[in-house]
Amino acid sequence: MNIENSKAQMRKGILEFCILSVLERGEAYPSDIIDELKKAKLMIVEGTLYPLLNRLKTDELLAYRWEESNSGPPRKYYSLTPKGKEFLDNLAETWKELENAVKNIRKTK
Amino acid sequence: MNIENSKAQMRKGILEFCILSVLERGEAYPSDIIDELKKAKLMIVEGTLYPLLNRLKTDELLAYRWEESNSGPPRKYYSLTPKGKEFLDNLAETWKELENAVKNIRKTK
DNA sequence: AAATAGTACCATGCAATACATAGTAGTATA
DNA sequence: TATACTACTATGTATTGCATGGTACTATTT
């Protein structure tokens, strides 16, 4: 049993929350999102990010627009929809509950 | 996109950590573990717990012994191995890093 | 112009794990 | 014996992060 695998498993399920959080602060395109997460020491790879963004778009939590880049190919800027913002609030609550649960398990008794 | 599913996904990857934490405090059999987690508001079902316990046993993080019950079928008591304790310490560190990563993403910038 | 490099996005098979469901088995009680 | 309760086992399904391979656009180099 491998700690790197456990790290990846722990990331599962919270990346959605983190990505919506990044976009709460303002629209961004995928590389920006990767950079923001990397700054917070949370690594995500393209093979994960793109399908995830597409899922969120399909579920109407995100919207996007294309923008020409002045130094490379066009970019897809994502932003939160009102529905996305609401969902994010729910995720934030869920995360807090999870944190508390872990805290209780680690401390109590 | 369904908040209940997101809750389940957030649980993925940290149940291992929580179960090892419960056992850090002393050996327990599966129903005890379920009760401890339930007390902390973390729900796990048998179909998840048993395979997980078996995986941890297979990886030598847990040991178990059978004990006759005085009011029902025999019980399988699990306990942490030294290897398990060491792995748990790593998981605790990983969890802390994850908490900080989320905190940074939610707060910074 | 063609080739190469850098950047951006897309597609998909695989591995891991939570859950739902179905079942077996031991013990106690009706 | 049948039923109920408790405990453990097995497995198919759904979901999602990762590895890998690819397409496409723009800029730079040959």
Side-chain angles (χ1 to χ4, degrees), chain A residues 9 12 29-31 46 50 73-76:
Chain A
Q9 298 300 328
K12 273 191 181 179
Y29 79 106
S31 286
E46 293 165 20
Y50 286 108
R75 296 164 174 177
K76 204 170 193 176

PDB file of all heavy atoms in Angstrom, chain A residues 9 12 29-31 46 50 73-76, chain C residues 6-13 15-17:
ATOM      1  N   GLN A   9      -6.010   9.120  -3.994  1.00  0.00           N
ATOM      2  CA  GLN A   9      -7.369   8.747  -3.573  1.00  0.00           C
ATOM      3  C   GLN A   9      -7.981   9.834  -2.713  1.00  0.00           C
ATOM      4  O   GLN A   9      -9.175  10.118  -2.796  1.00  0.00           O
ATOM      5  CB  GLN A   9      -7.359   7.421  -2.810  1.00  0.00           C
ATOM      6  CG  GLN A   9      -6.872   6.231  -3.613  1.00  0.00           C
ATOM      7  CD  GLN A   9      -7.704   5.959  -4.851  1.00  0.00           C
ATOM      8  OE1 GLN A   9      -8.907   6.213  -4.868  1.00  0.00           O
ATOM      9  NE2 GLN A   9      -7.088   5.464  -5.899  1.00  0.00           N
ATOM     10  N   LYS A  12      -9.360  12.526  -4.820  1.00  0.00           N
ATOM     11  CA  LYS A  12     -10.624  12.218  -5.495  1.00  0.00           C
ATOM     12  C   LYS A  12     -11.786  12.799  -4.705  1.00  0.00           C
ATOM     13  O   LYS A  12     -11.871  12.658  -3.517  1.00  0.00           O
ATOM     14  CB  LYS A  12     -10.833  10.701  -5.593  1.00  0.00           C
ATOM     15  CG  LYS A  12     -10.214  10.072  -6.796  1.00  0.00           C
ATOM     16  CD  LYS A  12     -10.695   8.637  -6.960  1.00  0.00           C
ATOM     17  CE  LYS A  12     -10.044   8.024  -8.169  1.00  0.00           C
ATOM     18  NZ  LYS A  12     -10.451   6.624  -8.391  1.00  0.00           N
ATOM     19  N   TYR A  29      -8.854  30.260 -17.446  1.00  0.00           N
ATOM     20  CA  TYR A  29      -8.775  29.172 -18.412  1.00  0.00           C
ATOM     21  C   TYR A  29      -7.950  28.036 -17.794  1.00  0.00           C
ATOM     22  O   TYR A  29      -7.292  28.234 -16.778  1.00  0.00           O
ATOM     23  CB  TYR A  29      -8.230  29.676 -19.754  1.00  0.00           C
ATOM     24  CG  TYR A  29      -6.743  29.883 -19.866  1.00  0.00           C
ATOM     25  CD1 TYR A  29      -5.955  28.997 -20.584  1.00  0.00           C
ATOM     26  CD2 TYR A  29      -6.122  30.992 -19.286  1.00  0.00           C
ATOM     27  CE1 TYR A  29      -4.590  29.194 -20.715  1.00  0.00           C
ATOM     28  CE2 TYR A  29      -4.757  31.183 -19.402  1.00  0.00           C
ATOM     29  CZ  TYR A  29      -3.990  30.283 -20.126  1.00  0.00           C
ATOM     30  OH  TYR A  29      -2.646  30.484 -20.241  1.00  0.00           O
ATOM     31  N   PRO A  30      -8.014  26.826 -18.357  1.00  0.00           N
ATOM     32  CA  PRO A  30      -7.454  25.650 -17.680  1.00  0.00           C
ATOM     33  C   PRO A  30      -6.033  25.779 -17.131  1.00  0.00           C
ATOM     34  O   PRO A  30      -5.774  25.349 -16.003  1.00  0.00           O
ATOM     35  CB  PRO A  30      -7.569  24.555 -18.744  1.00  0.00           C
ATOM     36  CG  PRO A  30      -8.811  24.925 -19.475  1.00  0.00           C
ATOM     37  CD  PRO A  30      -8.799  26.432 -19.558  1.00  0.00           C
ATOM     38  N   SER A  31      -5.125  26.368 -17.908  1.00  0.00           N
ATOM     39  CA  SER A  31      -3.759  26.486 -17.380  1.00  0.00           C
ATOM     40  C   SER A  31      -3.699  27.365 -16.142  1.00  0.00           C
ATOM     41  O   SER A  31      -2.904  27.115 -15.233  1.00  0.00           O
ATOM     42  CB  SER A  31      -2.824  27.043 -18.447  1.00  0.00           C
ATOM     43  OG  SER A  31      -2.535  26.064 -19.418  1.00  0.00           O
ATOM     44  N   GLU A  46      -3.846  17.295 -16.710  1.00  0.00           N
ATOM     45  CA  GLU A  46      -4.815  17.633 -17.761  1.00  0.00           C
ATOM     46  C   GLU A  46      -5.868  16.558 -17.969  1.00  0.00           C
ATOM     47  O   GLU A  46      -7.044  16.867 -18.151  1.00  0.00           O
ATOM     48  CB  GLU A  46      -4.083  17.862 -19.072  1.00  0.00           C
ATOM     49  CG  GLU A  46      -3.197  19.089 -19.050  1.00  0.00           C
ATOM     50  CD  GLU A  46      -2.216  19.082 -20.198  1.00  0.00           C
ATOM     51  OE1 GLU A  46      -2.468  18.362 -21.195  1.00  0.00           O
ATOM     52  OE2 GLU A  46      -1.194  19.781 -20.112  1.00  0.00           O
ATOM     53  N   TYR A  50      -9.590  18.409 -17.741  1.00  0.00           N
ATOM     54  CA  TYR A  50     -10.487  18.671 -18.863  1.00  0.00           C
ATOM     55  C   TYR A  50     -11.800  17.910 -18.772  1.00  0.00           C
ATOM     56  O   TYR A  50     -12.869  18.499 -18.905  1.00  0.00           O
ATOM     57  CB  TYR A  50      -9.754  18.431 -20.192  1.00  0.00           C
ATOM     58  CG  TYR A  50      -8.774  19.525 -20.517  1.00  0.00           C
ATOM     59  CD1 TYR A  50      -7.391  19.298 -20.424  1.00  0.00           C
ATOM     60  CD2 TYR A  50      -9.196  20.804 -20.865  1.00  0.00           C
ATOM     61  CE1 TYR A  50      -6.485  20.310 -20.688  1.00  0.00           C
ATOM     62  CE2 TYR A  50      -8.291  21.823 -21.132  1.00  0.00           C
ATOM     63  CZ  TYR A  50      -6.934  21.567 -21.044  1.00  0.00           C
ATOM     64  OH  TYR A  50      -6.031  22.566 -21.308  1.00  0.00           O
ATOM     65  N   PRO A  73      -2.500  29.632 -29.203  1.00  0.00           N
ATOM     66  CA  PRO A  73      -3.851  29.222 -29.601  1.00  0.00           C
ATOM     67  C   PRO A  73      -4.923  29.865 -28.717  1.00  0.00           C
ATOM     68  O   PRO A  73      -4.619  30.332 -27.624  1.00  0.00           O
ATOM     69  CB  PRO A  73      -3.827  27.701 -29.430  1.00  0.00           C
ATOM     70  CG  PRO A  73      -2.713  27.428 -28.508  1.00  0.00           C
ATOM     71  CD  PRO A  73      -1.731  28.549 -28.613  1.00  0.00           C
ATOM     72  N   PRO A  74      -6.186  29.850 -29.188  1.00  0.00           N
ATOM     73  CA  PRO A  74      -7.278  30.430 -28.409  1.00  0.00           C
ATOM     74  C   PRO A  74      -7.479  29.690 -27.085  1.00  0.00           C
ATOM     75  O   PRO A  74      -7.094  28.534 -26.955  1.00  0.00           O
ATOM     76  CB  PRO A  74      -8.501  30.263 -29.315  1.00  0.00           C
ATOM     77  CG  PRO A  74      -8.139  29.180 -30.250  1.00  0.00           C
ATOM     78  CD  PRO A  74      -6.653  29.256 -30.438  1.00  0.00           C
ATOM     79  N   ARG A  75      -8.069  30.408 -26.115  1.00  0.00           N
ATOM     80  CA  ARG A  75      -8.273  29.837 -24.803  1.00  0.00           C
ATOM     81  C   ARG A  75      -9.742  29.808 -24.426  1.00  0.00           C
ATOM     82  O   ARG A  75     -10.508  30.682 -24.794  1.00  0.00           O
ATOM     83  CB  ARG A  75      -7.516  30.662 -23.757  1.00  0.00           C
ATOM     84  CG  ARG A  75      -6.038  30.617 -23.957  1.00  0.00           C
ATOM     85  CD  ARG A  75      -5.348  31.728 -23.173  1.00  0.00           C
ATOM     86  NE  ARG A  75      -3.907  31.573 -23.266  1.00  0.00           N
ATOM     87  CZ  ARG A  75      -3.025  32.414 -22.741  1.00  0.00           C
ATOM     88  NH1 ARG A  75      -3.454  33.475 -22.089  1.00  0.00           N
ATOM     89  NH2 ARG A  75      -1.730  32.203 -22.873  1.00  0.00           N
ATOM     90  N   LYS A  76     -10.054  28.841 -23.616  1.00  0.00           N
ATOM     91  CA  LYS A  76     -11.427  28.651 -23.186  1.00  0.00           C
ATOM     92  C   LYS A  76     -11.536  29.155 -21.742  1.00  0.00           C
ATOM     93  O   LYS A  76     -10.994  28.540 -20.827  1.00  0.00           O
ATOM     94  CB  LYS A  76     -11.715  27.154 -23.249  1.00  0.00           C
ATOM     95  CG  LYS A  76     -13.140  26.732 -23.387  1.00  0.00           C
ATOM     96  CD  LYS A  76     -13.157  25.219 -23.687  1.00  0.00           C
ATOM     97  CE  LYS A  76     -14.502  24.729 -24.148  1.00  0.00           C
ATOM     98  NZ  LYS A  76     -14.481  23.317 -24.520  1.00  0.00           N
TER      99      LYS A  76
ATOM    100  P    DG C   6      10.103  24.221 -27.017  1.00  0.00           P
ATOM    101  OP1  DG C   6      11.169  24.885 -26.250  1.00  0.00           O
ATOM    102  OP2  DG C   6       9.830  22.778 -26.869  1.00  0.00           O
ATOM    103  O5'  DG C   6       8.734  25.001 -26.754  1.00  0.00           O
ATOM    104  C5'  DG C   6       8.628  26.368 -27.136  1.00  0.00           C
ATOM    105  C4'  DG C   6       7.196  26.830 -26.997  1.00  0.00           C
ATOM    106  O4'  DG C   6       6.390  26.308 -28.087  1.00  0.00           O
ATOM    107  C3'  DG C   6       6.514  26.361 -25.706  1.00  0.00           C
ATOM    108  O3'  DG C   6       5.898  27.479 -25.081  1.00  0.00           O
ATOM    109  C2'  DG C   6       5.477  25.340 -26.176  1.00  0.00           C
ATOM    110  C1'  DG C   6       5.163  25.831 -27.582  1.00  0.00           C
ATOM    111  N9   DG C   6       4.657  24.801 -28.478  1.00  0.00           N
ATOM    112  C8   DG C   6       5.171  23.546 -28.695  1.00  0.00           C
ATOM    113  N7   DG C   6       4.475  22.851 -29.553  1.00  0.00           N
ATOM    114  C5   DG C   6       3.452  23.698 -29.938  1.00  0.00           C
ATOM    115  C6   DG C   6       2.374  23.498 -30.859  1.00  0.00           C
ATOM    116  O6   DG C   6       2.122  22.508 -31.537  1.00  0.00           O
ATOM    117  N1   DG C   6       1.551  24.626 -30.938  1.00  0.00           N
ATOM    118  C2   DG C   6       1.749  25.798 -30.236  1.00  0.00           C
ATOM    119  N2   DG C   6       0.857  26.762 -30.443  1.00  0.00           N
ATOM    120  N3   DG C   6       2.744  25.994 -29.377  1.00  0.00           N
ATOM    121  C4   DG C   6       3.542  24.904 -29.278  1.00  0.00           C
ATOM    122  P    DT C   7       5.165  27.236 -23.656  1.00  0.00           P
ATOM    123  OP1  DT C   7       5.432  28.440 -22.847  1.00  0.00           O
ATOM    124  OP2  DT C   7       5.479  25.881 -23.149  1.00  0.00           O
ATOM    125  O5'  DT C   7       3.628  27.243 -24.068  1.00  0.00           O
ATOM    126  C5'  DT C   7       3.146  28.325 -24.857  1.00  0.00           C
ATOM    127  C4'  DT C   7       1.732  28.040 -25.302  1.00  0.00           C
ATOM    128  O4'  DT C   7       1.715  26.962 -26.266  1.00  0.00           O
ATOM    129  C3'  DT C   7       0.791  27.619 -24.171  1.00  0.00           C
ATOM    130  O3'  DT C   7      -0.321  28.480 -24.167  1.00  0.00           O
ATOM    131  C2'  DT C   7       0.381  26.184 -24.534  1.00  0.00           C
ATOM    132  C1'  DT C   7       0.575  26.181 -26.044  1.00  0.00           C
ATOM    133  N1   DT C   7       0.820  24.847 -26.631  1.00  0.00           N
ATOM    134  C2   DT C   7      -0.023  24.413 -27.650  1.00  0.00           C
ATOM    135  O2   DT C   7      -0.932  25.079 -28.077  1.00  0.00           O
ATOM    136  N3   DT C   7       0.277  23.175 -28.135  1.00  0.00           N
ATOM    137  C4   DT C   7       1.302  22.344 -27.731  1.00  0.00           C
ATOM    138  O4   DT C   7       1.472  21.246 -28.262  1.00  0.00           O
ATOM    139  C5   DT C   7       2.139  22.861 -26.671  1.00  0.00           C
ATOM    140  C7   DT C   7       3.263  22.031 -26.156  1.00  0.00           C
ATOM    141  C6   DT C   7       1.871  24.073 -26.181  1.00  0.00           C
ATOM    142  P    DA C   8      -1.360  28.426 -22.880  1.00  0.00           P
ATOM    143  OP1  DA C   8      -1.867  29.797 -22.703  1.00  0.00           O
ATOM    144  OP2  DA C   8      -0.741  27.700 -21.759  1.00  0.00           O
ATOM    145  O5'  DA C   8      -2.544  27.532 -23.457  1.00  0.00           O
ATOM    146  C5'  DA C   8      -3.309  28.006 -24.554  1.00  0.00           C
ATOM    147  C4'  DA C   8      -4.253  26.918 -25.025  1.00  0.00           C
ATOM    148  O4'  DA C   8      -3.510  25.872 -25.696  1.00  0.00           O
ATOM    149  C3'  DA C   8      -5.044  26.217 -23.911  1.00  0.00           C
ATOM    150  O3'  DA C   8      -6.417  26.519 -24.059  1.00  0.00           O
ATOM    151  C2'  DA C   8      -4.760  24.736 -24.111  1.00  0.00           C
ATOM    152  C1'  DA C   8      -4.211  24.656 -25.525  1.00  0.00           C
ATOM    153  N9   DA C   8      -3.285  23.555 -25.739  1.00  0.00           N
ATOM    154  C8   DA C   8      -2.127  23.280 -25.065  1.00  0.00           C
ATOM    155  N7   DA C   8      -1.526  22.188 -25.473  1.00  0.00           N
ATOM    156  C5   DA C   8      -2.336  21.713 -26.496  1.00  0.00           C
ATOM    157  C6   DA C   8      -2.249  20.588 -27.325  1.00  0.00           C
ATOM    158  N6   DA C   8      -1.256  19.697 -27.270  1.00  0.00           N
ATOM    159  N1   DA C   8      -3.226  20.410 -28.246  1.00  0.00           N
ATOM    160  C2   DA C   8      -4.223  21.303 -28.321  1.00  0.00           C
ATOM    161  N3   DA C   8      -4.413  22.408 -27.581  1.00  0.00           N
ATOM    162  C4   DA C   8      -3.429  22.554 -26.677  1.00  0.00           C
ATOM    163  P    DC C   9      -7.501  25.944 -22.961  1.00  0.00           P
ATOM    164  OP1  DC C   9      -8.589  26.918 -22.896  1.00  0.00           O
ATOM    165  OP2  DC C   9      -6.819  25.492 -21.736  1.00  0.00           O
ATOM    166  O5'  DC C   9      -8.035  24.650 -23.733  1.00  0.00           O
ATOM    167  C5'  DC C   9      -8.570  24.811 -25.044  1.00  0.00           C
ATOM    168  C4'  DC C   9      -8.809  23.457 -25.670  1.00  0.00           C
ATOM    169  O4'  DC C   9      -7.546  22.763 -25.827  1.00  0.00           O
ATOM    170  C3'  DC C   9      -9.714  22.522 -24.862  1.00  0.00           C
ATOM    171  O3'  DC C   9     -10.789  22.125 -25.705  1.00  0.00           O
ATOM    172  C2'  DC C   9      -8.832  21.333 -24.524  1.00  0.00           C
ATOM    173  C1'  DC C   9      -7.775  21.387 -25.606  1.00  0.00           C
ATOM    174  N1   DC C   9      -6.484  20.753 -25.228  1.00  0.00           N
ATOM    175  C2   DC C   9      -6.012  19.648 -25.963  1.00  0.00           C
ATOM    176  O2   DC C   9      -6.684  19.240 -26.915  1.00  0.00           O
ATOM    177  N3   DC C   9      -4.854  19.061 -25.598  1.00  0.00           N
ATOM    178  C4   DC C   9      -4.155  19.536 -24.567  1.00  0.00           C
ATOM    179  N4   DC C   9      -3.011  18.928 -24.262  1.00  0.00           N
ATOM    180  C5   DC C   9      -4.623  20.667 -23.813  1.00  0.00           C
ATOM    181  C6   DC C   9      -5.782  21.244 -24.171  1.00  0.00           C
ATOM    182  P    DC C  10     -11.946  21.138 -25.099  1.00  0.00           P
ATOM    183  OP1  DC C  10     -13.201  21.550 -25.763  1.00  0.00           O
ATOM    184  OP2  DC C  10     -11.854  21.060 -23.645  1.00  0.00           O
ATOM    185  O5'  DC C  10     -11.506  19.723 -25.703  1.00  0.00           O
ATOM    186  C5'  DC C  10     -11.308  19.614 -27.110  1.00  0.00           C
ATOM    187  C4'  DC C  10     -11.073  18.166 -27.479  1.00  0.00           C
ATOM    188  O4'  DC C  10      -9.727  17.780 -27.107  1.00  0.00           O
ATOM    189  C3'  DC C  10     -12.013  17.179 -26.792  1.00  0.00           C
ATOM    190  O3'  DC C  10     -12.495  16.292 -27.794  1.00  0.00           O
ATOM    191  C2'  DC C  10     -11.115  16.460 -25.788  1.00  0.00           C
ATOM    192  C1'  DC C  10      -9.760  16.522 -26.470  1.00  0.00           C
ATOM    193  N1   DC C  10      -8.581  16.459 -25.563  1.00  0.00           N
ATOM    194  C2   DC C  10      -7.677  15.399 -25.708  1.00  0.00           C
ATOM    195  O2   DC C  10      -7.889  14.523 -26.560  1.00  0.00           O
ATOM    196  N3   DC C  10      -6.596  15.351 -24.896  1.00  0.00           N
ATOM    197  C4   DC C  10      -6.395  16.320 -23.993  1.00  0.00           C
ATOM    198  N4   DC C  10      -5.309  16.243 -23.233  1.00  0.00           N
ATOM    199  C5   DC C  10      -7.314  17.411 -23.836  1.00  0.00           C
ATOM    200  C6   DC C  10      -8.385  17.442 -24.637  1.00  0.00           C
ATOM    201  P    DA C  11     -13.633  15.215 -27.351  1.00  0.00           P
ATOM    202  OP1  DA C  11     -14.487  15.050 -28.539  1.00  0.00           O
ATOM    203  OP2  DA C  11     -14.227  15.560 -26.053  1.00  0.00           O
ATOM    204  O5'  DA C  11     -12.781  13.882 -27.168  1.00  0.00           O
ATOM    205  C5'  DA C  11     -11.953  13.450 -28.240  1.00  0.00           C
ATOM    206  C4'  DA C  11     -11.403  12.079 -27.916  1.00  0.00           C
ATOM    207  O4'  DA C  11     -10.233  12.214 -27.071  1.00  0.00           O
ATOM    208  C3'  DA C  11     -12.374  11.165 -27.172  1.00  0.00           C
ATOM    209  O3'  DA C  11     -12.327   9.896 -27.793  1.00  0.00           O
ATOM    210  C2'  DA C  11     -11.836  11.130 -25.739  1.00  0.00           C
ATOM    211  C1'  DA C  11     -10.340  11.349 -25.953  1.00  0.00           C
ATOM    212  N9   DA C  11      -9.638  12.006 -24.853  1.00  0.00           N
ATOM    213  C8   DA C  11     -10.023  13.142 -24.183  1.00  0.00           C
ATOM    214  N7   DA C  11      -9.176  13.528 -23.268  1.00  0.00           N
ATOM    215  C5   DA C  11      -8.157  12.584 -23.349  1.00  0.00           C
ATOM    216  C6   DA C  11      -6.943  12.427 -22.640  1.00  0.00           C
ATOM    217  N6   DA C  11      -6.522  13.264 -21.671  1.00  0.00           N
ATOM    218  N1   DA C  11      -6.156  11.380 -22.952  1.00  0.00           N
ATOM    219  C2   DA C  11      -6.557  10.544 -23.912  1.00  0.00           C
ATOM    220  N3   DA C  11      -7.665  10.589 -24.660  1.00  0.00           N
ATOM    221  C4   DA C  11      -8.426  11.649 -24.319  1.00  0.00           C
ATOM    222  P    DT C  12     -13.377   8.744 -27.327  1.00  0.00           P
ATOM    223  OP1  DT C  12     -13.726   7.993 -28.538  1.00  0.00           O
ATOM    224  OP2  DT C  12     -14.426   9.357 -26.483  1.00  0.00           O
ATOM    225  O5'  DT C  12     -12.470   7.810 -26.411  1.00  0.00           O
ATOM    226  C5'  DT C  12     -11.180   7.422 -26.900  1.00  0.00           C
ATOM    227  C4'  DT C  12     -10.479   6.627 -25.828  1.00  0.00           C
ATOM    228  O4'  DT C  12      -9.766   7.506 -24.933  1.00  0.00           O
ATOM    229  C3'  DT C  12     -11.430   5.810 -24.930  1.00  0.00           C
ATOM    230  O3'  DT C  12     -10.788   4.580 -24.657  1.00  0.00           O
ATOM    231  C2'  DT C  12     -11.494   6.643 -23.661  1.00  0.00           C
ATOM    232  C1'  DT C  12     -10.038   7.115 -23.610  1.00  0.00           C
ATOM    233  N1   DT C  12      -9.787   8.238 -22.682  1.00  0.00           N
ATOM    234  C2   DT C  12      -8.551   8.283 -22.079  1.00  0.00           C
ATOM    235  O2   DT C  12      -7.694   7.462 -22.277  1.00  0.00           O
ATOM    236  N3   DT C  12      -8.360   9.345 -21.237  1.00  0.00           N
ATOM    237  C4   DT C  12      -9.279  10.337 -20.930  1.00  0.00           C
ATOM    238  O4   DT C  12      -8.997  11.224 -20.150  1.00  0.00           O
ATOM    239  C5   DT C  12     -10.561  10.227 -21.607  1.00  0.00           C
ATOM    240  C7   DT C  12     -11.613  11.246 -21.351  1.00  0.00           C
ATOM    241  C6   DT C  12     -10.743   9.197 -22.444  1.00  0.00           C
ATOM    242  P    DG C  13     -11.656   3.221 -24.694  1.00  0.00           P
ATOM    243  OP1  DG C  13     -11.840   2.874 -26.113  1.00  0.00           O
ATOM    244  OP2  DG C  13     -12.821   3.359 -23.790  1.00  0.00           O
ATOM    245  O5'  DG C  13     -10.632   2.187 -24.047  1.00  0.00           O
ATOM    246  C5'  DG C  13      -9.267   2.189 -24.489  1.00  0.00           C
ATOM    247  C4'  DG C  13      -8.345   1.958 -23.298  1.00  0.00           C
ATOM    248  O4'  DG C  13      -8.221   3.198 -22.541  1.00  0.00           O
ATOM    249  C3'  DG C  13      -8.845   0.899 -22.325  1.00  0.00           C
ATOM    250  O3'  DG C  13      -7.725   0.122 -21.917  1.00  0.00           O
ATOM    251  C2'  DG C  13      -9.418   1.712 -21.158  1.00  0.00           C
ATOM    252  C1'  DG C  13      -8.520   2.947 -21.184  1.00  0.00           C
ATOM    253  N9   DG C  13      -9.130   4.156 -20.641  1.00  0.00           N
ATOM    254  C8   DG C  13     -10.389   4.657 -20.927  1.00  0.00           C
ATOM    255  N7   DG C  13     -10.651   5.775 -20.301  1.00  0.00           N
ATOM    256  C5   DG C  13      -9.508   6.016 -19.548  1.00  0.00           C
ATOM    257  C6   DG C  13      -9.201   7.089 -18.650  1.00  0.00           C
ATOM    258  O6   DG C  13      -9.901   8.050 -18.362  1.00  0.00           O
ATOM    259  N1   DG C  13      -7.938   6.945 -18.103  1.00  0.00           N
ATOM    260  C2   DG C  13      -7.072   5.918 -18.363  1.00  0.00           C
ATOM    261  N2   DG C  13      -5.904   5.956 -17.736  1.00  0.00           N
ATOM    262  N3   DG C  13      -7.336   4.916 -19.196  1.00  0.00           N
ATOM    263  C4   DG C  13      -8.560   5.036 -19.745  1.00  0.00           C
ATOM    264  P    DA C  15      -5.356  -1.809 -14.960  1.00  0.00           P
ATOM    265  OP1  DA C  15      -4.091  -2.565 -14.958  1.00  0.00           O
ATOM    266  OP2  DA C  15      -6.655  -2.494 -15.125  1.00  0.00           O
ATOM    267  O5'  DA C  15      -5.413  -0.942 -13.624  1.00  0.00           O
ATOM    268  C5'  DA C  15      -4.484   0.115 -13.450  1.00  0.00           C
ATOM    269  C4'  DA C  15      -4.826   0.877 -12.188  1.00  0.00           C
ATOM    270  O4'  DA C  15      -5.944   1.757 -12.438  1.00  0.00           O
ATOM    271  C3'  DA C  15      -5.224  -0.032 -11.029  1.00  0.00           C
ATOM    272  O3'  DA C  15      -4.597   0.455  -9.849  1.00  0.00           O
ATOM    273  C2'  DA C  15      -6.749   0.104 -10.954  1.00  0.00           C
ATOM    274  C1'  DA C  15      -6.982   1.506 -11.501  1.00  0.00           C
ATOM    275  N9   DA C  15      -8.245   1.673 -12.225  1.00  0.00           N
ATOM    276  C8   DA C  15      -8.805   0.819 -13.121  1.00  0.00           C
ATOM    277  N7   DA C  15      -9.931   1.250 -13.627  1.00  0.00           N
ATOM    278  C5   DA C  15     -10.126   2.482 -13.022  1.00  0.00           C
ATOM    279  C6   DA C  15     -11.143   3.455 -13.130  1.00  0.00           C
ATOM    280  N6   DA C  15     -12.202   3.318 -13.947  1.00  0.00           N
ATOM    281  N1   DA C  15     -11.024   4.567 -12.385  1.00  0.00           N
ATOM    282  C2   DA C  15      -9.959   4.698 -11.575  1.00  0.00           C
ATOM    283  N3   DA C  15      -8.939   3.860 -11.395  1.00  0.00           N
ATOM    284  C4   DA C  15      -9.083   2.765 -12.147  1.00  0.00           C
ATOM    285  P    DA C  16      -4.775  -0.346  -8.479  1.00  0.00           P
ATOM    286  OP1  DA C  16      -3.476  -0.248  -7.794  1.00  0.00           O
ATOM    287  OP2  DA C  16      -5.394  -1.665  -8.759  1.00  0.00           O
ATOM    288  O5'  DA C  16      -5.833   0.536  -7.676  1.00  0.00           O
ATOM    289  C5'  DA C  16      -5.569   1.912  -7.496  1.00  0.00           C
ATOM    290  C4'  DA C  16      -6.755   2.567  -6.842  1.00  0.00           C
ATOM    291  O4'  DA C  16      -7.822   2.706  -7.812  1.00  0.00           O
ATOM    292  C3'  DA C  16      -7.341   1.752  -5.678  1.00  0.00           C
ATOM    293  O3'  DA C  16      -7.413   2.604  -4.540  1.00  0.00           O
ATOM    294  C2'  DA C  16      -8.721   1.322  -6.151  1.00  0.00           C
ATOM    295  C1'  DA C  16      -9.053   2.383  -7.200  1.00  0.00           C
ATOM    296  N9   DA C  16      -9.940   1.918  -8.259  1.00  0.00           N
ATOM    297  C8   DA C  16      -9.849   0.754  -8.975  1.00  0.00           C
ATOM    298  N7   DA C  16     -10.797   0.615  -9.874  1.00  0.00           N
ATOM    299  C5   DA C  16     -11.564   1.773  -9.740  1.00  0.00           C
ATOM    300  C6   DA C  16     -12.721   2.223 -10.402  1.00  0.00           C
ATOM    301  N6   DA C  16     -13.337   1.553 -11.381  1.00  0.00           N
ATOM    302  N1   DA C  16     -13.225   3.414 -10.017  1.00  0.00           N
ATOM    303  C2   DA C  16     -12.609   4.103  -9.043  1.00  0.00           C
ATOM    304  N3   DA C  16     -11.512   3.775  -8.353  1.00  0.00           N
ATOM    305  C4   DA C  16     -11.043   2.587  -8.742  1.00  0.00           C
ATOM    306  P    DT C  17      -7.868   1.984  -3.142  1.00  0.00           P
ATOM    307  OP1  DT C  17      -7.106   2.721  -2.129  1.00  0.00           O
ATOM    308  OP2  DT C  17      -7.842   0.494  -3.219  1.00  0.00           O
ATOM    309  O5'  DT C  17      -9.399   2.422  -3.067  1.00  0.00           O
ATOM    310  C5'  DT C  17      -9.706   3.817  -3.157  1.00  0.00           C
ATOM    311  C4'  DT C  17     -11.209   3.988  -3.146  1.00  0.00           C
ATOM    312  O4'  DT C  17     -11.757   3.544  -4.396  1.00  0.00           O
ATOM    313  C3'  DT C  17     -11.920   3.164  -2.063  1.00  0.00           C
ATOM    314  O3'  DT C  17     -12.983   3.957  -1.551  1.00  0.00           O
ATOM    315  C2'  DT C  17     -12.493   1.986  -2.848  1.00  0.00           C
ATOM    316  C1'  DT C  17     -12.867   2.713  -4.125  1.00  0.00           C
ATOM    317  N1   DT C  17     -13.128   1.839  -5.297  1.00  0.00           N
ATOM    318  C2   DT C  17     -14.138   2.214  -6.164  1.00  0.00           C
ATOM    319  O2   DT C  17     -14.801   3.216  -6.014  1.00  0.00           O
ATOM    320  N3   DT C  17     -14.329   1.364  -7.219  1.00  0.00           N
ATOM    321  C4   DT C  17     -13.629   0.212  -7.490  1.00  0.00           C
ATOM    322  O4   DT C  17     -13.906  -0.466  -8.480  1.00  0.00           O
ATOM    323  C5   DT C  17     -12.578  -0.120  -6.551  1.00  0.00           C
ATOM    324  C7   DT C  17     -11.779  -1.359  -6.751  1.00  0.00           C
ATOM    325  C6   DT C  17     -12.380   0.710  -5.501  1.00  0.00           C
TER     326       DT C  17
END
